[in-house]
Every structure is written in structure tokens, then in C-alpha cells.
């Protein structure tokens, strides 16, 4: 992990600092600890962007929990020939009767998360909630419930702390606005 | 909302008329001072060289252009929620396609204006002549450089007032009457035939749908909805928004998409302030007449940048 901008470029503009992320993660960790005390908590990280957030978040939680991961195809990915959203890596655990918390790096259009929630609901969890590090209300197309929000950001393209551009910049310790070529 | 724009020659009394009209109509007066203050409140400061003066000497730089663009955005934004009297600023051009509006030009002969200015500012005739000529030149240059228009052309205006022989109070009364008669929207509570507003929704029969033409951005949007298995209908309904005094529909709104599972209408829109203002006004009217209908405006640019996210190698070319 590094704070240094990996390459010399003027394309990165820090919008959320490392310190701010640390404080927010701690705050959310505490809140989730309080809310889920005594519950059968399963955190589901949505690959791949949310992994850094998920790990740091769970390190700030003082209750027992299980972790699993899920991945769904994105609109426009070359590899997807079916032309429709699919789960590309499914859960290993059963979530029936569990208190599920989906952990996302960013929620913007709500399309991806909406599909995910519809799918998870069919597995009969006892409860289904969402925690996201970044929320972009300005880009929302469909309503989705988001129970824990780290930061509200405007309609810009960001990288860092798990978020990538062409697989790069995930390991930045801050969130930056990225000027795409 | 309602707009009265007042374009005036320097020294013709236009400023006074604008003020009087604003008082009489209770419309919000927009002039240079209110704009500078408004933009300053948003943290947008005037560039060191006043764009209006700068434009007469040479083409204004990017700072000047940005400031003027910000000014236009600000005015359009104000117009969403307020009735406005706009003094100068090219208001008649900014709002030329947006009824209800009355566009007024105030004129007077050169010598009349020079005399006026001499009295107003206590100047000798030589200085006054110089000042009036300079101001006239600045206006011509501003119109030419910013709007590519000929300042001397009075055709775009609904009403031209010559104040050489007309009192300013009378002129203001004429403007107010002009607005009431010509521009003020007449609303009918009921739709045509006295039917309920709720019935003022036209549904296109399915057979006509087949020939519907989708712009490429709408096609792409639909494709994205398909991918996420979100059901959609394209332009399924037209909402009637405004009627004239004879019950003819003069404004309607056909949102681009309807998502039946979300019970949500979606309208794709560009970010250009001119169009955004018009769309926003329609959305507000929708909320007034059809409060149970949910409509969401989606900015095409942000949607396109979404696609950029997923197609990093392709350029959209739009």
C-alpha cells in the first residue's frame, strides 16, 4: 500500500484523504458493532473494489461475523457474451436465516446493487442491508436502500482504496478524482 | 417562470424602467449588481478585467468566457423558481425560445441620450458624447462576440419603446400591460371538455410504437437496462402540462422511459443550461399537476461517463 502517486501524472486529485477514510471506517465499524450485536452477521464483499474497505471495516468491529464474496458481471465487459447480468462468482456460504450486510466500494446507478439484492433476497436471509464507502446519489437510476454510507460524492470518476481505472490505482490509500484520458 | 427582458441603449432610461416594472409586477430584478453578488455567493468572482469592458477591445480570454457562462447558468437557474425582470445581459437572446416571456427594447436618439447623461451625471457635453459612444460600442461588441448578433437589429423584440417623448413611468406601465396581455400564461384548471387533469394523459396505442425512433444514447441506455434485467417502456405516455384559454394543449411532456417495476419515468437530458432549464420547468409542472408520478432526470453526460467506465478503450465520440 502506498501514499505516493504511483506514476508521475497530473491526473489525480485527492478528494478524500487517508486520515478521513480511517476515521470514517472506524465510525462505521462502531455503528455496525452496535447494530449487529447478538445477530448472526454475514458480510458479503462485492468483488473486487470493496476488498480494502471490507477488511479495514471488519478490523474495527468487535462482534463475531462471517465473510463471503460475490462477483457479478458489469455492463459493457468484453467477456460477457450473454448480454445479461450474471453472478460470476457466487457465495460459498448459505445466507438463509442470516443477517446479511452487503459491502460495496461505491453505489452509483444502483443497477448493479439492485440486481444483487434481488438475487440475495431469493435465498431468504433474515435481514438484508447495505454498507457502502462511497455513494453517488447524482448518478442514481433506480432506487436502492443503502443503510450505511461512508461518503457522499458528486458525479466524478474516482480511484483509490479499492477503486480502479483499468485495474490500476486500487492500492492508493486515499480516494482521488481521476482525469480519464 | 415568467420573464421580462429589457435591452436598452445607454441613457434611454431602460434601467429606471426595469426597476419600475419589477416594483409593479413584484418580479425579481436581475441586473449586473445582483448577478455579481449572486455569483460571488457561489464563490465565482469576476475576473480582474470586467468582461463587458474587455470584450470591446479584443476577444475575452477563457476566464472571461467562463464567467459569462457562469452568469448565463445563474440566470437560467434563477428563472426556474422566480419571475424575473432581466436588465441587459443579452436576456432576450437567452430566453428567446422560452415563453412566457416579453422582450423589450428601450431606445432613444443619440442626442436625447447625451442630454440625459449630461444631466444625470453632471458632465459637459464633450464628455457625455464620449461616454455614450463608448457604451454603445461596448454593447455592440458584447452582442457580437458573445452572441454573434447585431445589436442594432430590433426585430427580435416583442416591444420597442422610444423614450424621447414617453415618460418612464408610462413606459413601465406599457411593459407590464404588454406582459399581461401577450406573455402571461393562461391556465385552465380543467383539461379540454372540463375533464379532470388525471385524464390529461395521452397513451400512445401500441401500434404506433413500432415506428418510434430512438436516439443512440437512448438505445444505449435501454441496452444497459436490458443488461440489468430492468423492464422498460419507451415513451409510453405524454403528460399534458399547459393549455391556452381555448383549451388547446400548448405544452406536453413525454418522458423517454418508464420502468414499470420501479413505477418510475426517466428522462435523459443534456447538461446544457438552456435545455436543463426547460426540462426542469417541465418537471416542476409535472410535480404540480401529477404529484403521484415519479420522474427522474438523468444527465446524458454522466451516463456516457458510465459507459466510458465500462468501455475504457472506446471513445464514445459524442
Amino acid at each position: 500500500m502506498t501514499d505516493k502517486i504511483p506514476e508521475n501524472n497530473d491526473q489525480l486529485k485527492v478528494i478524500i484523504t487517508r486520515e478521513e477514510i480511517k476515521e470514517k471506517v472506524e465510525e462505521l465499524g462502531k455503528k455496525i458493532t452496535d447494530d449487529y450485536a447478538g445477530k448472526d452477521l454475514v458480510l458479503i464483499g462485492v468483488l473486487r473494489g470493496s476488498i480494502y474497505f471490507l477488511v479495514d471495516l471488519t478490523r474495527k468491529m468487535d462482534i463475531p461475523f462471517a465473510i463471503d464474496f460475490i462477483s457479478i458481471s458489469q455492463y459493457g465487459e468484453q467477456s460477457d457474451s450473454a448480454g445479461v447480468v450474471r453472478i460470476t462468482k457466487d457465495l460459498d456460504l448459505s445466507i438463509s436465516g442470516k443477517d446479511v450486510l452487503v459491502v460495496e466500494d461505491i453505489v452509483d446507478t444502483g443497477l448493479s446493487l439492485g440486481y444483487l439484492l434481488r438475487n440475495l433476497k431469493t435465498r431468504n436471509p433474515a435481514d438484508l442491508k447495505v454498507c457502502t464507502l462511497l455513494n453517488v446519489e447524482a448518478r442514481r437510476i433506480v432506487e436502492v436502500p443503502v443503510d450505511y454510507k461512508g461518503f457522499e460524492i458528486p458525479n466524478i470518476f474516482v480511484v483509490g482504496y479499492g477503486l480502479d481505472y483499468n485495474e490500476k490505482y486500487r492500492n492508493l490509500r486515499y480516494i482521488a478524482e481521476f482525469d480519464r484520458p | 417562470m415568467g420573464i421580462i427582458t429589457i435591452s436598452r441603449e445607454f441613457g434611454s432610461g431602460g434601467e429606471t424602467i426595469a426597476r419600475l416594472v419589477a416594483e409593479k409586477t413584484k418580479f425579481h430584478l436581475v441586473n449586473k449588481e445582483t448577478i455579481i453578488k449572486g455569483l460571488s455567493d457561489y464563490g465565482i468572482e469576476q475576473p480582474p478585467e470586467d468582461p463587458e469592458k474587455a470584450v470591446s477591445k479584443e476577444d475575452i480570454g477563457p476566464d472571461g468566457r467562463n464567467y459569462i457562462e457562469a452568469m448565463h447558468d445563474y440566470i437560467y437557474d434563477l428563472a426556474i423558481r422566480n419571475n424575473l425582470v432581466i436588465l441587459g445581459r443579452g436576456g432576450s437572446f437567452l430566453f428567446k425560445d422560452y415563453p412566457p416571456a416579453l422582450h423589450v427594447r428601450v431606445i432613444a436618439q443619440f442626442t436625447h441620450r447625451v442630454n440625459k447623461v449630461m444631466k444625470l451625471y453632471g458632465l459637459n457635453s464633450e464628455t457625455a458624447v464620449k461616454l455614450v459612444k463608448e457604451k454603445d460600442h461596448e454593447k455592440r461588441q458584447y452582442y457580437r462576440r458573445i452572441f454573434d448578433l447585431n445589436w442594432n437589429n430590433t426585430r427580435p423584440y416583442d416591444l420597442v419603446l422610444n423614450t424621447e417623448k414617453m415618460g418612464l413611468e408610462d413606459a413601465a406601465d406599457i411593459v407590464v400591460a404588454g406582459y399581461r396581455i401577450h406573455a402571461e400564461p393562461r391556465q385552465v384548471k380543467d383539461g379540454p371538455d372540463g375533464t379532470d387533469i388525471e385524464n390529461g394523459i395521452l397513451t400512445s396505442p401500441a401500434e404506433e410504437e413500432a415506428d418510434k425512433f430512438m436516439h443512440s444514447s437512448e438505445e444505449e441506455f435501454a441496452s444497459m437496462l436490458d443488461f440489468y434485467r430492468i423492464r422498460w417502456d419507451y415513451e409510453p405516455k405524454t403528460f399534458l402540462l399547459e393549455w391556452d384559454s381555448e383549451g388547446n394543449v400548448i405544452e406536453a411532456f413525454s418522458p423517454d422511459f418508464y420502468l414499470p417495476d420501479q413505477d418510475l419515468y426517466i428522462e435523459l437530458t443534456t447538461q446544457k443550461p438552456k435545455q436543463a432549464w426547460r426540462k426542469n420547468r417541465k418537471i416542476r409542472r409535472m410535480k404540480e399537476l401529477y404529484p403521484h408520478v415519479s420522474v427522474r432526470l438523468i444527465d446524458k453526460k454522466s451516463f456516457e461517463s458510465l459507459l466510458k467506465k465500462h468501455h475504457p478503450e472506446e471513445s464514445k465520440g459524442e
Side-chain angles (χ1 to χ4, degrees), chain B residues 202-213 234-236 238:
Chain B
L202 294 175
T203 308
S204 312
E207 307 85 69
E208 289 174 22
E209 288 296 324
D211 299 324
K212 277 276 159 71
F213 165 74
Y234 182 65
E235 287 189 6
T238 297

Side-chain angles (χ1 to χ4, degrees), chain A:
Chain A
M1 292 261 278
T2 173
D3 311 274
K4 290 210 206 61
I5 294 169
E7 289 153 11
N8 278 335
N9 62 53
D10 304 304
Q11 295 169 293
L12 293 171
K13 181 177 127 193
V14 179
I15 59 161
I16 305 174
T17 65
R18 183 182 172 185
E19 196 51 52
E20 285 168 327
I21 295 177
K22 186 163 173 285
E23 275 172 27
K24 186 60 75 172
V25 168
E26 198 155 331
E27 182 191 312
L28 289 171
K30 254 169 135 234
K31 192 148 200 312
I32 290 170
T33 298
D34 292 338
D35 294 346
Y36 283 87
K39 302 249 172 91
D40 200 356
L41 173 59
V42 179
L43 294 120
I44 299 181
V46 182
L47 296 174
R48 281 158 285 160
S50 70
I51 55 176
Y52 293 85
F53 178 46
L54 177 68
V55 169
D56 286 347
L57 180 68
T58 50
R59 282 181 167 145
K60 294 294 174 191
M61 284 164 45
D62 289 325
I63 45 171
F65 56 82
I67 293 186
D68 204 346
F69 292 96
I70 197 165
S71 184
I72 65 173
S73 58
Q74 274 191 321
Y75 179 63
E77 269 168 1
Q78 245 72 331
S79 51
D80 187 79
S81 50
V84 110
V85 68
R86 297 175 297 121
I87 293 189
T88 50
K89 186 246 165 262
D90 206 341
L91 303 177
D92 293 322
L93 305 174
S94 157
I95 58 169
S96 167
K98 309 277 182 183
D99 297 287
V100 176
L101 182 61
V102 173
V103 178
E104 277 272 31
D105 48 353
I106 185 168
V107 178
D108 53 10
T109 61
L111 291 170
S112 207
L113 179 62
Y115 170 74
L116 190 57
L117 293 176
R118 289 201 300 275
N119 182 286
L120 293 178
K121 238 182 229 132
T122 64
R123 309 181 200 205
N124 296 314
D127 188 48
L128 183 58
K129 290 207 165 67
V130 177
C131 171
T132 183
L133 177 69
L134 303 178
N135 189 49
V136 192
E137 200 63 47
R139 282 214 281 263
R140 198 69 102 243
I141 295 176
V142 291
E143 283 303 330
V144 282
V146 177
D147 308 276
Y148 303 92
K149 285 181 211 171
F151 301 94
E152 181 73 48
I153 59 168
N155 188 1
I156 54 177
F157 186 77
V158 292
V159 294
Y161 202 65
L163 294 134
D164 74 303
Y165 174 71
N166 275 352
E167 303 308 326
K168 294 202 304 198
Y169 307 118
R170 288 197 202 272
N171 61 338
L172 297 179
R173 281 160 155 167
Y174 48 82
I175 306 275
E177 177 175 2
F178 183 70
D179 196 11
R180 284 173 292 184

